Amino acid sequence: MIAAIQALLDGLMIGGVYAVISIGLTLVFGVMGIVNFAQAEFLMLGMFTAYYAWAWLGLDPLIAAPLAFAVVFVLGAAVHHLMIRRVLKAPEVAQVFLTVGLLIVLENAALLMFGSGFKSVATSYQTSALHLGPLFISVPYLAAFLMSVACGAVLWLFLERSWFGRAMRATAQNPMAAKLMGIDSDRMHRTAFALGVGLTAFGGAVILPYLTVSPTVGDQFVVLMFTVVVLGGLGSVAGAVVGGLAVGIIQSISGLLFPIQMQNLVLFVVFIFVLAIRPEGLLGRAR
Amino acid sequence: MKPALKYALIALALAVAVAVPFGLEPRGYATRILCLVLLFAAMAQAWNIVGGLANQMSLGHAAFFGIGAYGSTILLVKYGISPWLGLLPGMAAGGVAAWLISLPTMRLRGHYFALATLAFGEVMRLVANTWGGLTGGPSGISVPFSKPGLAVFQFKDMRPYYFLMLAALLVVTAIFAGIRHSKLGYRLRAIRENPSAAEAIGVDTTRTKIIAAVVSGALMAGLGTFYAQFQFFFDPDTVFSIPAISVRVAMIAIVGGVGTTIGPIVGALFLIPIEELANQTFSDQAAGLSQLVFGLLLIVVILAEPRGLLEIGRRLWRWRGRT
């Protein structure tokens, strides 16, 4: 019983981070209808930004997370302007394979720039844990979780309260009507894409204290991120939060029941079933 | 194009394809690359049945490829069954797997189908890695050497492989063209153009697409056996690879011209040599450069003309005619 509660707690901690790294993916789809297969590569870039901020400037990854957000935000705006913008009206096959091409380019550019080795940071809190009776919470997990919650809250305020956020949601709901109200849809798309990949990079930075980074780290996250957003309903930001927590918990519970290699297997099978039964997500299309 | 000219061109291309290996060193590097070109053209053609005709973008075709490779190789290693016989149960397993995954996912369109098949490929990779008793696990499996000959599907030099790969490509292409011009092909085209209209005039859309998927999966599995006999060694991460198999076969078809009969052949002739050349040229430099070039090419072709090289060629031809 204790083991189950512990697994639930671990799952919740990891799930919070999954939510933040996946919100970007769902945001981009919601606003512009593009499924970005390269999203996990921006997570990798966020991790590398945080790593070099630590190695060169001595910054803690948690403090470097906004920096990772900013760097990848700018990169995302450039990628949107050079590529994504041009396939918005193209057939789906072009959209999918453009982002697949981007995935290949980013992964291999990283391989050339950073080398193929695994890199990790050293922090003072890396191995410490809080004890709550028989349960314990690992400090780096808790820190990543709290940073994710804070980031999610800021995003929520931005989308709900600011003019810009409202304009973005309007573009997602009805592009034509938004245009007629004087909203520059290209600017909205660019911002949504940059924001989306920036959020994922932020998530990458906060998980760096308990993970190692390499140019291929994105591969572990591709299907995982899609599972999160499809569970919650592609395009729904609130859904991504629910999906993230669900995936975190499914992962840690199945870690209790099955050998470690099977952990992702359970996740993928859940993913295929959700796609087959409720492709619109568990929460439906509600936004 | 006039039919007579078309048949003349096909005959010429075939004559060249048959003649080429006799001008090359039989154990040489060039022949080996051509074998890979033919094999990947055939794989992309098999993908084209689902991706092009049924317009369902599969990103999980490595699943069927790996099933075929493991199927015949396991039968060979454990029971000494010739790969030629092992080919059949492998293809059957590939077809059944395609049927099983299509049942719940074929209703999905576009991105959703791509995602579901992507996950299916990963499931197969994890299963092959975990079920070590059957597959040899992550350390891979080797095809045992025996006295070379057609009966055991093993040869001393590359030339026989070349002709077998060419035959495989011709068979898969003939099946593709046959489907394209059959009732099934017209149904698939109707579904592609307008699924609701197709349904309204009585096409069972899901069933039609599943038939296409089963044929495609079985062919892909058969080509997996060819790959296994050609490479002699493979592991789960190679044959179930997303970038090296699933994405690559789709990419070859798309870069050449998705849904067309010669698109995958054009795509393979273009992409595989470029990739090998990049590997050769940059092999002393850091890893990743050739893949980077590969990814950039994909992006450039899609931004320039999502319908692929064939369409670019057609446009150039028209433009030349005008001036």
Side-chain angles (χ1 to χ4, degrees):
Chain A
M1 193 58 208
I2 293 295
I5 297 173
Q6 180 67 49
L8 208 64
L9 196 62
D10 289 344
L12 215 59
M13 293 287 133
I14 307 172
V17 177
Y18 288 168
V20 160
I21 62 175
S22 313
I23 281 176
L25 189 60
T26 212
L27 193 68
V28 171
F29 182 82
V31 176
M32 48 216 279
I34 296 265
V35 173
N36 183 12
F37 280 84
Q39 190 81 17
E41 301 310 313
F42 293 98
L43 178 94
M44 178 266 296
L45 291 176
M47 290 176 90
F48 268 114
T49 311
Y51 172 78
Y52 283 106
W54 174 81
W56 292 344
L57 309 171
L59 289 179
D60 188 281
L62 297 177
I63 298 169
L67 179 71
F69 172 85
V71 169
V72 173
F73 183 93
V74 172
L75 181 71
V79 165
H80 175 267
H81 191 73
L82 291 173
M83 300 172 194
I84 309 294
R85 188 167 65 96
R86 297 170 204 274
V87 295
L88 284 180
K89 295 203 175 66
E92 253 176 3
V93 61
Q95 295 176 350
V96 167
F97 282 93
L98 178 75
T99 59
V100 168
L102 186 63
L103 183 159
I104 299 173
V105 166
L106 289 176
E107 186 171 313
N108 289 288
L111 205 59
L112 288 174
M113 282 196 305
F114 310 129
S116 60
F118 291 83
K119 295 180 168 69
S120 58
V121 297
T123 58
S124 55
Y125 53 84
Q126 216 152 24
T127 51
S128 42
L130 300 176
H131 292 269
L132 299 168
L135 302 171
F136 69 91
I137 304 176
S138 139
V139 171
Y141 279 69
L142 181 66
F145 176 76
L146 293 177
M147 289 292 280
S148 303
V149 170
C151 178
V154 171
L155 177 76
W156 183 82
L157 279 177
F158 168 77
L159 285 177
E160 288 293 317
R161 295 294 154 86
S162 72
W163 181 88
F164 213 101
R166 263 184 238 140
M168 201 178 276
R169 283 186 295 135
T171 311
Q173 254 172 28
N174 190 334
M176 184 52 91
K179 223 174 212 167
L180 290 173
M181 296 300 119
I183 294 169
D184 178 352
S185 60
D186 186 50
R187 186 158 164 242
M188 288 304 141
H189 289 161
R190 189 167 58 241
T191 315
F193 190 82
L195 194 63
V197 296
L199 283 170
T200 299
F202 184 96
V206 300
I207 56 178
L208 191 58
Y210 63 85
L211 284 179
T212 55
V213 57
S214 72
T216 50
V217 73
D219 297 352
Q220 305 168 25
F221 286 92
V222 181
V223 179
L224 188 140
M225 288 164 81
F226 282 120
T227 313
V228 170
V229 296
V230 169
L231 264 175
L234 205 50
S236 155
V237 172
V241 174
V242 177
L245 295 177
V247 167
I249 291 168
I250 292 172
Q251 246 188 354
S252 62
I253 298 284
S254 59
L256 274 186
L257 305 173
F258 304 106
I260 187 81
Q261 313 95 293
M262 304 287 275
Q263 222 180 12
N264 282 334
L265 195 63
V266 173
L267 200 63
F268 294 159
V269 172
V270 169
F271 177 62
I272 294 174
F273 267 95
V274 171
L275 269 175
I277 298 160
R278 276 190 76 84
E280 70 277 22
L282 297 177
L283 297 185
R285 281 251 170 188
R287 214 177 274 267
Chain B
M1 210 183 282
K2 283 194 191 104
L5 182 60
K6 193 169 151 186
Y7 289 125
L9 280 176
I10 292 174
L12 182 69
L14 267 179
V16 170
V18 171
V20 157
F22 293 104
L24 297 168
E25 180 67 34
R27 290 185 194 189
Y29 181 64
T31 317
R32 187 179 165 76
I33 301 307
L34 285 177
C35 289
L36 287 175
V37 169
L38 293 170
L39 179 65
F40 272 94
M43 286 156 69
Q45 192 71 278
W47 180 89
N48 209 14
I49 296 172
V50 167
L53 294 181
N55 200 27
Q56 292 282 53
M57 272 173 291
S58 161
L59 284 179
H61 258 53
F64 316 122
F65 183 70
I67 286 171
Y70 271 107
S72 66
T73 309
I74 290 169
L75 288 174
L76 175 63
V77 171
K78 300 224 156 150
Y79 306 104
I81 294 170
S82 157
W84 287 116
L85 288 175
L87 186 71
L88 299 172
M91 286 178 75
V96 169
W99 180 68
L100 284 176
I101 186 63
S102 297
L103 275 181
T105 61
M106 233 355 146
R107 288 180 299 114
L108 303 170
R109 288 196 195 141
H111 304 124
Y112 288 103
F113 183 76
L115 289 171
T117 48
L118 186 76
F120 180 63
E122 281 295 274
V123 166
M124 294 312 299
R125 187 175 67 84
L126 288 169
V127 167
N129 266 320
T130 314
W131 197 354
L134 186 70
T135 63
S139 50
I141 191 167
S142 296
V143 173
F145 286 98
S146 44
K147 201 172 171 291
L150 187 61
V152 292
F153 204 148
Q154 283 186 22
F155 307 98
K156 272 190 300 223
D157 58 49
M158 288 292 149
R159 213 174 267 164
Y161 284 112
Y162 177 93
F163 287 108
L164 285 175
M165 302 288 187
L166 181 63
L169 173 61
L170 290 178
V171 167
V172 179
T173 303
I175 292 172
F176 176 86
I179 292 178
R180 201 175 166 208
H181 297 293
S182 70
K183 272 187 195 165
L184 180 65
Y186 287 112
R187 285 195 198 113
L188 287 168
R189 211 170 299 171
I191 296 168
R192 189 175 61 185
E193 299 304 330
N194 190 336
S196 320
E199 189 109 10
I201 57 167
V203 177
D204 185 342
T205 53
T206 305
R207 190 167 163 259
T208 309
K209 286 191 283 187
I210 289 178
I211 294 172
V214 169
V215 174
S216 175
L219 289 173
M220 196 73 184
L223 294 166
T225 299
F226 276 64
Y227 176 86
Q229 293 303 120
F230 182 65
Q231 294 288 7
F232 284 98
F233 168 80
F234 57 92
D235 58 17
D237 290 354
T238 318
V239 289
F240 292 113
S241 164
I242 294 175
I245 307 292
S246 291
V247 167
R248 195 192 272 168
V249 294
M251 189 172 152
I252 288 169
I254 288 162
V255 165
V258 65
T260 62
T261 310
I262 59 168
I265 301 169
V266 172
L269 275 171
F270 177 71
L271 285 174
I272 301 291
I274 284 184
E275 196 181 11
E276 284 299 327
L277 198 71
N279 272 336
Q280 280 256 299
T281 320
F282 303 128
S283 60
D284 47 340
Q285 314 212 356
L289 207 52
S290 63
Q291 285 301 305
L292 184 72
V293 173
F294 210 51
L296 284 174
L297 264 175
L298 178 61
I299 292 177
V300 167
V301 169
I302 283 178
L303 288 180
E305 174 52 81
R307 278 171 294 180
L309 288 174
L310 277 180
E311 190 60 31
I312 293 179
R314 217 169 276 152
R315 272 208 217 159
L316 285 178
W317 184 257
R318 255 181 257 143
W319 176 75
R320 209 193 68 136
R322 225 175 282 155
T323 50

